[in-house]
Amino acid sequence: MHVPDGFINAPVSVAAGVVAAGAVAVSLRGARRELDERIAPLAGLVAAFIFAVQMLNFPVAAGTSGHLLGGALAAILVGPYTGVLCVSVVLLMQGILFADGGLTALGVNITVMAVVTTVVAYATFRGLVKVLPRKRRSVTVSAFVAAALSVPAAALAFTLVYAVGGTTDVPIGRVLTAMVGVHVLIGLGEAAITAFTVGAVIAVRPDLVYGARGLTQKLKLRVNGELVNAAPEPQSASPALVPSHRTRNVWLTGLAASLVLAGVVSFYASASPDGLEKVAADKGIDAKVEDHAAADSPLADYSVEGITDGRLSGGLAGVIGVGATIVAGTGVFWAVRRRRTDEDTPAASSVTPRASA
């Protein structure tokens, strides 16, 4: 659903940029509360993983493919504010390095793919986990439903933006029906990927899943005929007691998976146009599409300039993208985390001793 340059007119693109900038600013503040000692080291990895999985287009209908958007996955794993930042970092890397998603449309893409998907997914997720049994399986089920709904919500958001600022005269009803219809199918793929990933992390380190915190039922003991809460397990009470090598193993496993997906598996991704590209071609909303400002990038179209072997070129581009995303994301989240640490540290008060007469 990467909107290219030329789909949306300049005034609406600027307005969307303002909305996106405001959402990122709010998310930077909100992420300070989310980026604790458990989340901070993994947020950059989540961004890199989303970048890698977005390279894996899967077929959803005749001549149409889809790929992960990632808002639901990021929000559930590292929190909604941090999730917006994760997807925004991915979109920025894709636009600048790979000419994927227009630079003038960056505000539209962040609003639609980062903000809308994250907000809708996390609101749905929190609502479901409150009514379902307090079990790990409920987290996975809630993640599936939240992710499935977030994709057509993003398609609806794009359609609304296009209704206001589209550069071609196409009946909006046709665009709405086509966009939502195909993205309902893509949402099922998004849901499967999200549920599988969240379930895999919960199975190994449930304390690392932001959305699963506080869902474990408290153990109660009968003391003198009354039920009282048992003391929490040390590992749950203090994340610092979790062996550091376990967190490191999760990080290394996630990094290895990202590199394999982007560097190897992406070669077998569907070559069919994604949902937005297909709808744009069928309905004619791409009539005024513009060349990407970074079309001459050595990594444009997820290939390395000068390498003729398609598998090697695409795989190397994917590995470079994972590396660039994890560096950029880690830098952003480290800075936010450091800001939180600075704010939490009380300022040292200086007392000037009075001279004695």
Side-chain angles (χ1 to χ4, degrees):
M1 202 183 294
H2 294 75
V3 180
D5 296 318
F7 271 30
I8 308 299
N9 63 30
V12 174
S13 295
V14 171
V18 172
V19 172
V24 169
V26 171
S27 297
L28 285 169
R29 293 186 62 86
R32 297 177 195 172
R33 300 190 297 270
E34 296 172 349
L35 290 169
D36 58 18
E37 63 275 8
R38 290 172 288 187
I39 297 300
L42 297 175
L45 176 62
V46 170
F49 183 78
I50 290 173
F51 173 90
V53 181
Q54 282 198 4
M55 294 183 67
L56 308 181
N57 282 48
F58 49 85
V60 294
T64 309
S65 69
H67 63 71
L68 182 81
L69 297 185
L73 177 62
I76 296 167
L77 287 180
V78 294
Y81 294 107
T82 308
V84 169
L85 298 179
C86 282
V87 181
S88 298
V89 168
V90 172
L91 293 172
L92 184 62
M93 294 296 101
Q94 290 170 332
I96 293 176
L97 297 179
F98 300 94
D100 189 8
L103 295 183
T104 62
L106 183 60
V108 175
N109 285 322
I110 289 177
T111 301
V112 171
M113 295 179 64
V115 179
V116 171
T117 58
T118 301
V119 171
V120 170
Y122 198 72
T124 303
F125 176 81
R126 294 307 305 175
L128 289 173
V129 295
K130 287 182 179 180
V131 299
L132 293 176
R134 299 168 68 88
K135 297 180 180 180
R136 294 179 183 177
R137 182 176 299 176
S138 298
V139 176
T140 305
V141 172
S142 300
F144 183 95
V145 176
L149 292 178
S150 69
V151 177
L156 175 60
F158 165 78
T159 305
L160 294 176
V161 172
Y162 185 81
V164 177
T167 55
T168 55
D169 186 16
V170 177
I172 198 62
R174 296 181 183 178
V175 178
L176 175 63
T177 302
M179 282 293 294
V180 174
V182 72
H183 283 91
V184 166
L185 299 177
I186 295 174
L188 297 177
E190 175 109 8
I193 295 170
T194 301
F196 175 82
T197 305
V198 171
V201 178
I202 285 181
V204 179
R205 286 289 304 275
D207 59 300
L208 294 181
V209 179
Y210 182 90
R213 295 182 181 180
L215 297 179
T216 305
Q217 289 182 320
K218 294 181 179 180
L219 176 64
K220 292 183 177 293
L221 300 177
R222 187 173 296 278
V223 178
N224 296 328
E226 297 182 0
L227 289 175
V228 297
N229 291 330
E233 298 178 4
Q235 180 170 306
S236 300
S238 176
L241 296 178
V242 178
S244 60
H245 70 84
R246 291 184 59 187
T247 300
R248 183 172 63 249
N249 289 344
V250 171
W251 196 92
L252 292 174
T253 300
L255 177 60
S258 300
L259 292 172
V260 170
L261 291 173
V264 179
V265 182
S266 62
F267 179 77
Y268 302 98
S270 173
S272 298
D274 65 23
L276 177 58
E277 293 171 334
K278 179 65 172 175
V279 171
D282 289 347
K283 305 303 178 183
I285 66 177
D286 60 350
K288 296 185 179 180
V289 66
E290 300 173 1
D291 292 335
H292 199 286
D296 295 331
S297 166
L299 297 173
D301 295 327
Y302 298 94
S303 60
V304 178
E305 186 178 13
I307 299 181
T308 57
D309 184 275
R311 179 175 301 191
L312 178 60
S313 179
L316 184 56
V319 169
I320 293 172
V322 168
T325 303
I326 202 168
V327 169
T330 300
V332 170
F333 300 126
W334 178 84
V336 174
R337 171 64 177 164
R338 184 176 181 181
R339 180 71 178 271
R340 167 181 168 166
T341 302
D342 292 343
E343 290 181 351
D344 291 345
T345 302
S349 58
S350 57
V351 179
T352 303
R354 297 179 61 183
S356 56

